[in-house]
Amino acid sequence: MRSAAAFTILLWLAVACTPAKPTPVTVDGDAIKRHIQKLAGDDMEGRAPGGKGEELATTYIADFYRSLGLKTSFQTVPLVGLVSTASSMKLTGRGGNRELKFGDEFVAWSKRQEDAVSAKAELVFAGYGVVAPEYEWNDFKDSVKGKIIVVLINDPQLPDQRKFGGKAMTYYGRWTYKFEEAARQGAAGAIIIHETEFAGYPWEVVRGSWSGEQFDLARPDKGASTVPLQGWITRDTASTLFKVAGQDFDDLKKRALQPDFKPVPLGITASVDIHNRMRTAESKNVIGVLEGQTPEYVIYTAHWDHLGIGEEQNGDKIYNGAVDNAAGTAVMLEMARAFTKTEPRPKRSIVFLSVTAEEQGLLGSLYYSENPVFPLNKTVANINIDGANVYGRDNNQIQVIGSGYTSLEDTLQRVAAEQGRTIVPDREPEKGYYFRSDQFSLAKKGVPALYTESTTIEDNQEYTANRYHKPSDQFNPNWDMRVAVRDAEALYKVGLDVANADKWPEWKPGTEFRAIREQSLK
Ligand SMILES: [Zn+2]
């Protein structure tokens, strides 16, 4: 009798102490579809930053967050539109005088928010222009302060595959990195040598990308921390230049792969004059927060912007951006709904950050990363959604873009297995897609960030060829959202796991953002 009573009490205690098993939360595919239809409607005018499309889209998102009971706010993102015009590049010194033609032989601009910027300095070949302590690599063994450096695109492809990710591009291979490092070295300019094979795109893309208006964040320092002259030069022009300087392109390229490489002065002075025309614009990020019990955060990001109204194609000039990124935004809205239904509530806060101006160079997320609303060293992870699988096919696989970077991948693997799916590594690591959407803005500041895709190779090729960044990226009522729902549920579960886990996600050893994170947590 007594033991039975004790047993009953024990049983009761056991039941009382076991947290209620959370009811499985599901994501509604039809609701995702309705959001896409709305956000990609012609009345949204392609959701360009500034203007009517922005007003409608950000209001829609904010209203939805409020309807879920999330703490909702806007973050103003000050932008500046810059049209840079460059003179020809005058070369003097070894081999006499010569002028390089803008567009055919080089392109150049300045991110200094000033009307006129002039650069005149000696050209120095600086290899890959990389400082990577984790790989014991430094291309700047001699100072290049005040010089215009000429650097190779991509990162050193060394025989030792552990360094610079083997065939995968690390951040050291991206053109944005080259300009940032040049600024840190105090260079007067940085010119990247274009090689189609190693850049991943032809010269026409380089040339086209830097003509017309470029947006940037309007900074209090007017861009004073950027390297004054930025540009590209064709491989042929660089080769000729090196010959005039008594050097050989292939030989210099080989030397750049040696650990003892030092900058090579070319004995040629280059001068370029830049004129900037500027206008300011304002845009905004939308933030919805499900508050947790600890001041720590999991941030989901999805950019709401697209290209707006542009050049007419097949009688249509509204770039609706249905897949890119009305779809990702829609998925995030429904994930937010799933989180509000989650019992018990996640321990850490869940932030839904709808960022602007991704298409202008990740500017909304960059602004957030430089002006974080929640401390980055209390932000345990970022999960980014750019695009969605609207085709209903996935071969039961989730591709991790930038695989091998963070432990979030291991969490995803577990979650995917529960769905009967597997994760596959980045199919094109040499293209550096990890650095080309909003997760990168947070990764660069050390926040472990995850970016995935489940679209099959065939569907992706069809999309890239026919709809990517075209007016034809439009809502289709026949879309099959089954896989988009599975993806949303997987990323929801990863976020939930991270929000409740004892251990924070981390960068894997040997990755270029690990040291930044360690530093920020000190
Ligand atoms: Zn996008």
Side-chain angles (χ1 to χ4, degrees):
M1 185 71 202
R2 214 174 58 171
S3 65
F7 176 76
T8 307
I9 288 164
L10 275 176
L11 186 70
W12 178 84
L13 273 174
V15 170
C17 296
T18 309
K21 203 172 163 49
T23 38
V25 174
T26 53
V27 172
D28 179 356
D30 289 330
I32 295 177
K33 228 164 149 174
R34 283 194 296 275
H35 293 308
I36 303 177
Q37 185 169 21
K38 200 86 192 157
L39 290 163
D42 278 353
D43 59 325
M44 295 258 178
E45 297 180 348
R47 304 184 310 280
K52 183 189 150 202
E54 154 151 11
E55 195 49 43
L56 289 175
T58 55
T59 303
Y60 181 84
I61 295 164
D63 285 351
F64 185 77
Y65 287 156
R66 277 189 207 105
S67 77
L68 295 177
L70 302 183
K71 197 169 165 193
T72 304
S73 61
F74 294 106
Q75 180 180 43
T76 302
V77 178
L79 300 175
V80 57
L82 257 133
V83 181
S84 245
T85 349
S87 66
S88 60
M89 189 188 287
K90 293 179 195 67
L91 303 174
T92 53
R94 250 181 230 162
N97 299 345
R98 213 188 139 202
E99 270 188 36
L100 299 185
K101 201 164 168 271
F102 185 91
D104 292 339
E105 297 180 298
F106 82 104
V107 291
W109 64 91
S110 181
K111 291 276 183 187
R112 298 268 168 124
Q113 289 156 24
E114 297 164 21
D115 298 336
V117 178
S118 293
K120 186 178 181 185
E122 188 188 3
L123 295 174
V124 175
F125 175 67
Y128 286 90
V130 167
V131 180
E134 68 277 32
Y135 304 133
E136 295 165 326
W137 196 272
N138 183 0
D139 285 326
F140 298 100
K141 293 181 196 81
D142 293 333
S143 169
V144 296
K145 199 160 193 263
K147 311 284 185 189
I148 297 174
I149 59 169
V150 180
V151 295
L152 297 161
I153 188 63
N154 218 309
D155 52 25
Q157 312 274 299
L158 302 174
D160 182 351
Q161 299 284 302
R162 285 164 305 174
K163 290 192 171 179
F164 296 105
K167 131 177 138 85
M169 189 196 274
T170 61
Y171 183 52
Y172 301 112
R174 283 284 286 167
W175 58 268
T176 47
Y177 169 80
K178 312 283 178 185
F179 296 134
E180 288 162 4
E181 191 55 49
R184 283 189 285 269
Q185 300 294 330
I191 309 281
I192 302 170
I193 302 167
H194 174 265
E195 292 180 274
T196 304
E197 187 192 346
F198 302 106
Y201 36 82
W203 176 251
E204 291 68 43
V205 170
V206 172
R207 189 182 170 151
S209 303
W210 278 281
S211 40
E213 188 172 39
Q214 310 287 313
F215 278 89
D216 205 343
L217 295 180
R219 296 171 189 280
D221 75 348
K222 307 257 180 234
S225 60
T226 62
V227 60
L229 174 75
Q230 307 187 0
W232 291 77
I233 187 170
T234 66
R235 187 200 185 281
D236 287 350
T237 309
S239 186
T240 310
L241 201 72
F242 290 168
K243 212 172 280 167
V244 169
Q247 302 283 351
D248 174 69
F249 183 86
D250 292 320
D251 179 53
L252 279 185
K253 216 177 154 174
K254 263 182 222 134
R255 274 161 70 187
L257 290 174
Q258 303 304 317
D260 62 353
F261 171 84
K262 276 186 192 165
V264 181
L266 297 175
I268 297 171
T269 296
S271 102
V272 186
D273 296 317
I274 310 255
H275 281 274
N276 282 334
R277 208 172 65 229
M278 287 170 284
R279 68 176 178 112
T280 54
E282 228 169 52
S283 189
K284 48 190 173 300
N285 295 331
V286 191
I287 306 171
V289 186
L290 179 72
E291 287 182 308
Q293 303 126 44
T294 46
E296 293 172 354
Y297 308 87
V298 176
I299 301 193
Y300 283 92
T301 43
H303 72 90
W304 59 256
D305 70 298
H306 194 58
L307 302 169
I309 293 171
E311 196 183 305
E312 190 170 302
Q313 290 184 15
N314 301 319
D316 189 1
K317 56 185 174 142
I318 301 175
Y319 289 65
N320 305 80
V323 166
D324 185 12
N325 188 28
T329 300
V331 165
M332 189 165 79
L333 296 184
E334 285 309 307
M335 281 166 66
R337 192 206 301 272
F339 271 104
T340 59
K341 285 189 195 159
T342 302
E343 290 293 340
R345 246 189 195 213
K347 199 171 89 188
R348 301 189 172 97
S349 294
I350 313 287
V351 179
F352 302 94
L353 176 59
S354 304
V355 290
T356 181
E358 188 269 354
E359 306 287 7
Q360 313 293 335
L362 319 180
L363 296 180
S365 56
L366 177 68
Y367 185 79
Y368 180 90
S369 76
E370 291 179 2
N371 305 273
V373 175
F374 308 102
L376 295 177
N377 62 5
K378 294 285 176 201
T379 301
V380 296
N382 169 230
I383 298 171
N384 185 47
I385 307 152
D386 196 350
N389 185 331
V390 293
Y391 314 101
R393 295 176 283 267
D394 68 344
N395 299 328
N396 282 324
Q397 290 177 336
I398 307 176
Q399 187 192 173
V400 179
I401 309 291
S403 44
Y405 267 121
T406 74
S407 64
L408 290 164
E409 201 172 317
D410 308 326
T411 311
L412 176 69
Q413 184 165 35
R414 202 159 17 83
V415 165
E418 287 167 18
Q419 294 184 321
R421 304 162 96 192
T422 52
I423 63 168
V424 288
D426 198 329
R427 285 192 204 114
E428 298 174 293
E430 68 283 3
K431 291 203 175 148
Y433 283 118
Y434 190 68
F435 317 118
R436 291 158 71 173
S437 189
D438 295 299
Q439 72 286 338
F440 178 58
S441 296
L442 288 141
K444 208 171 146 189
K445 296 280 184 187
V447 177
L450 181 69
Y451 178 38
T452 64
E453 189 189 86
S454 70
T455 308
T456 62
I457 295 172
E458 297 73 29
D459 285 332
N460 206 22
Q461 277 168 351
E462 187 276 327
Y463 167 72
T464 307
N466 301 323
R467 285 173 293 124
Y468 172 70
H469 283 196
K470 291 183 179 156
S472 49
D473 182 5
Q474 278 175 327
F475 175 72
N476 180 342
N478 299 321
W479 277 341
D480 180 339
M481 304 307 285
R482 277 175 296 183
V483 176
V485 164
R486 297 218 297 168
D487 288 349
E489 288 175 353
L491 295 181
Y492 155 81
K493 280 187 186 153
V494 171
L496 182 60
D497 187 287
V498 169
N500 290 326
D502 295 330
K503 204 168 174 292
W504 286 23
E506 53 182 25
W507 294 98
K508 299 209 165 173
T511 54
E512 61 264 40
F513 309 108
R514 191 177 160 95
I516 301 169
R517 182 61 158 181
E518 282 169 354
Q519 191 59 37
S520 78
L521 296 181
K522 268 179 194 162

